[in-house]
């Protein structure tokens, strides 16, 4: 074994308070497993705007108690003594332990810490930061990652996720932390009660839900923490409790019924759709495991169900919020990879609209007067006349508002699909799709981006490329990011960017098709147009 790896492993072992990861590391050293040690000690999890996320295990390149305690110590250093931090956690393996470790390190450093009363949705933590007037928040979650992962997200005093340069300041402070066995640990943190959850639920019922309540809903929390909170929210708002997938109702960190606990993944919604057919549901809802995202399914005229895209739900919710709020200062926002339909809707109503970089941390920085924000990856933040109750994506509030919208449509003898057709007739059919290319060698992605920058396409899918924006240069509206945006004739658009979390090149496509006859015919034309874009873009990427 490499002597450097052994030295690093023994140094880690000397400070690790967790008997499980200590035993793991001892076994690797005794077995002389050089490859496994290199995986754990050959690098480290980097703290960024999304905090930390990685596989559970020993070493700096894994999520464990040492990694978490170092992160908490770095956060404490940046904030300083006397500041107040609220801590939440989900039901993943070791989330509760990591939350307590964070509280111990923070209080030991002279800060005040308040811990949520149980595993709860991430939006409850985001809400709590502002509700309690805290200086920061931490939630222990890996969202919809595989069961072996966990993570650590930091929120600032505005209740939204951190943005640069705060992430770099915390990262530098983490790097300066010595052995965690030498950190002073406190015990005087506050255990919050259910009154905080009740306040969150009151804020949810104040959203623009309308008056209709007759609706049959099939729901799954996908083994996550959303089930109890969503059911309480529905009952508090006057809806019947949703029919919940029994096999996925209780939090389970192993996610035994799904290959991947993400409602966007193939197969993840199978049990919910099966339940919907059995009970004749008017609406299908799902939260991801930390309940900050919301998936929506609807009955089709053919008698089955289909899932709506994030852009479809975003357009429905966006117009709904605009119609139920008032004032000249209102703002709605989405990201550069989401549909342009929200902008068209906002323009029709005389409401300001902004586009941001991907991620809710940027949506929440769009400007004053924000009443609605969404991103195509099933994330929505719904507001009212009073503004946004949660400064992050909120799968509970989104589910509740979609239910109100669907109940009103049902009362009117209509469906959400009818409302989407209304939008297509009024604003043009905005159809979106994605092309993702996974590679084994990330240098292939770098090469593809370099080729596109050196020789931008002049035509894609039979449409002229009218402008090409290199997003790495930044602009007055957007900070620099590694991406390319092409605006095509007839309102079409393509955005190409490397994934921030996987070895993938992701391409976001949109076409706008006028509806001059029947909407289904326009949808067929849109599918053909998107297929043509995909074919030409695949050839241009050369991957």
């Amino acid at each position: 074994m490499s002597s450097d790896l052994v030295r690093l492993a023994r140094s880690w072992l000397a400070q690790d308070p967790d008997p499980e990861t200590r035993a793991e590391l001892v076994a690797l050293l005794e077995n002389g497993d050089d490859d496994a040690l290199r995986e754990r000690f050959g690098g480290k999890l980097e703290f960024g705007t999304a905090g930390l996320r990685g596989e559970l295990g020993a070493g700096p390149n894994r999520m464990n108690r040492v990694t978490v305690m170092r992160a908490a110590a770095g956060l404490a250093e940046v904030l300083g003594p006397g500041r107040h931090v609220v801590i939440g956690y989900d039901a993943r393996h070791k989330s509760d332990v990591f939350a307590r470790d964070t509280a111990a390190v923070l209080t030991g450093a002279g800060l005040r810490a308040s811990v949520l009363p149980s595993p709860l949705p991430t939006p409850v933590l985001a809400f709590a930061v502002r509700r309690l007037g805290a200086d920061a928040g931490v939630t222990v979650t890996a969202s919809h990652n595989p069961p072996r992962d966990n993570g650590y997200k930091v929120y600032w005093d505005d209740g939204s996720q951190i943005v640069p340069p705060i992430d770099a300041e915390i990262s530098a402070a983490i790097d300066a932390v010595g052995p965690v066995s030498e950190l002073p640990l406190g015990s005087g943190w506050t255990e919050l009660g259910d009154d905080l959850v009740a306040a969150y639920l009151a804020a949810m019922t104040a959203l623009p839900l309308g008056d209709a309540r007759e609706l049959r809903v099939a729901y799954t929390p996908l083994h996550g923490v959303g089930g109890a909170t969503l059911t309480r929210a529905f009952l508090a708002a006057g809806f019947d409790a949703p029919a919940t997938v029994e096999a996925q109702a209780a939090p389970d960190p192993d996610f035994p019924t799904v290959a991947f606990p993400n409602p966007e993944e193939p197969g993840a919604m199978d049990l919910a759709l099966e339940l919907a057919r059995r009970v004749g549901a008017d609406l299908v809802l799902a939260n991801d495991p930390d309940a900050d995202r919301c998936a929506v399914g609807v009955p089709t005229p053919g008698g089955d169900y289909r899932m709506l895209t994030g852009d479809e739900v975003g357009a429905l919710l966006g117009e709904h919020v605009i119609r139920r709020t008032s004032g000249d200062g209102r703002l709605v926002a989405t990201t550069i990879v989401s549909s342009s339909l929200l902008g068209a809707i906002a323009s029709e109503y005389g409401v300001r609209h902004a586009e941001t970089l991907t991620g809710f941390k940027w949506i929440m920085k769009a400007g004053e007067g924000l009443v609605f924000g969404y991103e195509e990856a099933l994330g929505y933040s719904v507001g009212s006349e009073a503004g946004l109750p949660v400064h992050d994506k909120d799968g509970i509030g989104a589910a509740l508002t979609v239910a109100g919208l669907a109940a009103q449509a049902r009362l009117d003898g209509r469906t959400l699909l009818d409302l989407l057709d209304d939008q297509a007739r009024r604003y043009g059919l905005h159809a979106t799709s994605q092309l993702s290319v996974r590679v084994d060698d990330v240098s292939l992605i770098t090469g593809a981006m370099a080729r596109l920058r050196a020789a931008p396409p002049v035509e894609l899918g039979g449409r002229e490329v009218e402008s090409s924006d290199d997003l790495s240069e930044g602009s007055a509206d957007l900070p620099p990011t590694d991406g390319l945006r092409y605006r095509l004739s007839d309102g079409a658009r393509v955005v190409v960017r490397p994934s921030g979390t996987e070895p993938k090149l992701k391409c976001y496509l949109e076409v706008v098709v006028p509806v001059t006859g029947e909407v289904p015919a326009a949808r067929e034309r849109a599918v053909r147009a998107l297929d043509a874009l995909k074919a030409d873009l695949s050839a241009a990427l050369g991957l």
Side-chain angles (χ1 to χ4, degrees):
M1 285 193 299
S2 163
S3 59
D4 287 341
L5 288 175
V6 171
R7 176 180 55 79
L8 291 170
R10 293 195 182 283
S11 174
W12 191 273
L13 193 60
Q15 61 175 318
D16 191 350
D18 191 332
E20 290 185 23
T21 46
R22 286 176 56 84
E24 171 192 335
L25 205 46
V26 167
L28 293 177
L29 288 167
E30 289 178 349
N31 295 334
D33 195 334
D34 201 68
D35 290 340
L37 286 175
R38 185 168 288 105
E39 288 177 0
R40 289 159 175 78
F41 291 92
K44 68 182 179 71
L45 297 180
E46 295 291 345
F47 186 93
T49 55
L52 298 166
R53 191 173 294 188
E55 187 176 344
L56 290 164
N61 206 30
R62 295 287 188 270
M63 284 296 299
N64 50 63
R65 293 183 66 185
V66 175
T67 298
V68 165
M69 292 171 75
R70 287 174 58 83
L75 176 61
E77 177 65 25
V78 170
L79 286 170
R83 298 300 182 94
H84 182 201
V85 181
V86 188
I87 303 162
Y89 57 99
D90 66 9
R92 284 178 175 268
H93 293 294
K94 293 192 179 295
S95 286
D96 56 340
V97 177
F98 293 164
R100 289 195 299 271
D101 282 340
T102 298
V105 170
L106 292 174
T107 53
L111 287 80
R112 292 190 299 130
S114 299
V115 182
L116 294 187
S118 60
L120 285 164
T122 291
V124 176
L125 180 279
F127 172 84
V129 172
R130 294 173 63 237
R131 173 77 179 185
L132 300 176
D135 299 288
V138 168
T139 187
V140 182
T141 180
S143 190
H144 50 259
N145 273 39
R148 65 181 180 274
D149 289 358
N150 214 325
Y152 195 87
K153 277 201 300 191
V154 175
Y155 292 74
W156 222 232
D157 58 2
D158 61 352
S160 66
Q161 296 178 50
I162 58 172
V163 296
I166 298 170
D167 60 322
E169 295 171 10
I170 296 173
S171 180
I174 292 170
D175 290 341
V177 175
V180 299
S181 53
E182 298 176 6
L183 291 173
L185 303 180
S187 58
W189 60 84
T190 299
E191 297 280 354
L192 296 169
D194 189 65
D195 56 334
L196 188 281
V197 182
Y200 168 79
L201 293 171
M204 295 302 98
T205 59
L207 293 174
L209 306 180
D211 299 320
R213 291 293 182 269
E214 189 174 340
L215 194 72
R216 292 185 301 273
V217 178
Y219 168 71
T220 176
L222 285 178
H223 300 292
V225 297
T229 304
L230 181 134
T231 299
R232 287 180 65 181
F234 266 63
L235 293 173
F239 290 97
D240 289 339
T244 302
V245 176
E246 185 176 350
Q248 298 173 334
D252 188 330
D254 293 318
F255 309 108
T257 67
V258 292
F260 200 68
N262 180 350
E264 293 182 287
E265 289 292 319
M269 293 298 297
D270 286 356
L271 292 182
L273 293 171
E274 179 183 308
L275 174 63
R277 297 181 189 103
R278 194 162 66 246
V279 302
D282 304 302
L283 186 68
V284 186
L285 295 171
N287 290 129
D288 66 340
D290 71 328
D292 64 350
R293 299 174 193 261
C294 176
V296 179
V298 295
T300 64
D304 204 356
Y305 290 82
R306 85 163 174 94
M307 301 305 297
L308 302 184
T309 68
D311 283 321
E312 288 175 321
V313 176
L316 289 174
L317 287 175
E319 185 161 23
H320 175 72
V321 171
I322 288 172
R323 293 178 65 179
R324 293 201 170 246
T325 56
S326 61
D328 295 335
R330 288 172 297 163
L331 172 69
V332 295
T334 187
T335 68
I336 57 173
V337 302
S338 301
S339 173
S340 62
L341 176 54
L342 183 62
I345 294 170
S347 177
E348 182 74 13
Y349 287 90
V351 171
R352 294 181 301 135
H353 168 258
E355 284 189 344
T356 73
L357 297 183
T358 56
F360 252 80
K361 57 183 175 286
W362 297 113
I363 291 175
M364 289 300 111
K365 300 294 189 289
E368 294 295 323
L370 189 63
V371 293
F372 176 74
Y374 95 93
E375 60 183 357
E376 46 74 39
L378 309 186
Y380 319 93
S381 185
V382 178
S384 65
E385 292 283 1
L388 295 172
V390 175
H391 286 194
D392 196 15
K393 52 187 176 289
D394 181 358
I396 305 297
L400 205 57
T401 311
V402 168
L405 189 57
Q408 184 60 54
R410 185 181 190 276
L411 184 64
D412 296 337
R414 312 191 74 214
T415 69
L416 295 185
L417 292 180
D418 292 327
L419 300 187
L420 286 171
D421 285 351
D422 289 347
Q423 289 186 331
R425 295 185 189 97
R426 186 171 186 181
Y427 307 108
L429 175 62
H430 290 63
T432 57
S433 187
Q434 288 190 28
L435 171 66
S436 293
V437 183
R438 182 181 289 273
V439 298
D440 295 324
D441 181 358
V442 292
S443 68
L444 295 175
I445 292 177
T446 305
M449 294 294 288
R451 286 193 299 276
L452 288 174
R453 285 188 168 100
V458 296
E459 183 180 280
L460 289 170
R463 297 166 186 261
E464 179 187 355
V465 177
E466 296 180 338
S467 68
S468 175
D469 301 321
D470 187 345
L471 301 177
S472 68
E473 297 173 358
S475 68
D477 300 320
L478 296 171
T481 188
D482 189 8
L484 297 165
R485 178 171 56 190
Y486 305 109
R487 300 187 190 276
L488 283 60
S489 57
D490 300 321
R493 180 219 64 194
V494 172
V495 177
V496 182
R497 72 177 185 93
S499 169
T501 56
E502 301 175 276
K504 276 184 179 181
L505 190 61
K506 303 184 76 172
C507 308
Y508 302 83
L509 314 142
E510 180 179 29
V511 296
V512 183
V513 177
V515 178
T516 55
E518 295 297 320
V519 176
R523 294 193 187 279
E524 291 176 6
R525 293 197 301 274
V527 169
R528 292 194 295 271
L530 288 169
D531 287 343
L533 277 180
K534 286 181 183 179
D536 281 4
L537 192 56
S538 294
L541 293 175
L543 295 176

